[in-house]
Amino acid sequence: MWQPDPYDRNCPTRQLLDRIGDQWTVLIVGALKDGPLRFTEIGRRVDGISQKVLTQTLRSLVRDGILTRTAYATIPPKVEYELTPLGRNLSEPLEMLDRWARVHMSSVQDARDAYDAEHTPASA
Amino acid sequence: MWQPDPYDRNCPTRQLLDRIGDQWTVLIVGALKDGPLRFTEIGRRVDGISQKVLTQTLRSLVRDGILTRTAYATIPPKVEYELTPLGRNLSEPLEMLDRWARVHMSSVQDARDAYDAEHTPASA
DNA sequence: CTGCATCCTGCGCGATACTG
DNA sequence: CAGTATCGCGCAGGATGCAG
């Protein structure tokens, strides 16, 4: 029986891996961890994301079954995004990534400083 | 005391998150999980990566202290890449990502099919 | 408020050729 | 084998303007 393998360039998991590892995906899913949020609220939490990219990313995540999109026909309009069970499941590995980045940032920074010092031998 | 926060666009963890979530990073670190590999070997395992991107990604990972690069002055040249302790630590969350993608690929595929069917109402 | 369409720019990346 | 250097294109993504 065949097993999906992202090391194969033609395997769909390759593309999926690219999507779920995307920084915006990590942050958006993380933001929705504690409950549904509106479009603008997500944009406010995920500092620096453009409206266009936010829209694109949200649509992709909805299409992939990670989020649900619920539009309320009120005035003004209100649209809520919420994690599906699949999305909630995904949020666990993503949260580990987030936490790893926070915890090891200083180690990485030290490594970079050392590397740069090594490869930039005191001026030119 | 200040806590690093990737939700802030100026926080270095933002960039770090982007790097470690990168598909090539996930695959390369995963490939090195079982021991050091040579440049060409990595390229062969990570199907579809160009030599240029492989070089760039490896250099970044070395700089960030995820990998070590060891060059042997033999003919022909031989360069081995190996996970550092930090890299081995990182490989755990990354492996979870990889496994998630493999396990849930079919669910995502189903969601996509449903979404596309819904949003492409039987021809035009 | 929540989008979508358009224009435009940067630069990521592949392809190719050359070195040690 | 393991890179570096260069060129050129495609497309992601920012900015703006409009619609429901």
Side-chain angles (χ1 to χ4, degrees), chain A residues 38 40 51 55 59 69 81:
Chain A
R38 304 179 57 175
T40 312
Q51 190 206 40
T55 300
R59 185 164 345 115
R69 177 185 186 278
Y81 293 88

Side-chain angles (χ1 to χ4, degrees), chain B residues 9-62:
Chain B
R9 88 176 82 185
N10 296 126
C11 182
T13 53
R14 171 71 70 93
Q15 181 213 345
L16 179 58
L17 198 56
D18 200 25
R19 176 160 302 296
I20 64 179
D22 179 77
Q23 62 167 319
W24 303 125
T25 297
V26 176
L27 295 175
I28 290 173
V29 171
L32 292 172
K33 187 96 196 304
D34 301 322
L37 288 178
R38 303 178 58 173
F39 182 86
T40 311
E41 291 174 325
I42 301 176
R44 212 177 308 121
R45 300 209 184 194
V46 182
D47 184 39
I49 192 172
S50 71
Q51 191 206 38
K52 179 179 181 179
V53 171
L54 178 57
T55 300
Q56 288 173 343
T57 307
L58 287 174
R59 185 160 350 112
S60 292
L61 291 173
V62 170

Side-chain angles (χ1 to χ4, degrees), chain A residues 28-69:
Chain A
I28 290 173
V29 170
L32 292 172
K33 188 92 194 308
D34 300 322
L37 287 178
R38 304 179 57 175
F39 182 86
T40 312
E41 291 175 326
I42 301 174
R44 213 175 308 121
R45 299 209 184 192
V46 182
D47 184 39
I49 192 172
S50 71
Q51 190 206 40
K52 180 180 180 179
V53 171
L54 179 56
T55 300
Q56 287 174 346
T57 307
L58 287 173
R59 185 164 345 115
S60 292
L61 292 173
V62 169
R63 183 169 108 98
D64 286 352
I66 311 292
L67 305 181
T68 57
R69 177 185 186 278

Side-chain angles (χ1 to χ4, degrees), chain A residues 5-20:
Chain A
D5 178 17
Y7 285 88
D8 175 358
R9 88 176 82 186
N10 296 126
C11 183
T13 53
R14 171 71 69 92
Q15 181 214 346
L16 180 57
L17 197 57
D18 199 24
R19 175 157 303 295
I20 65 179

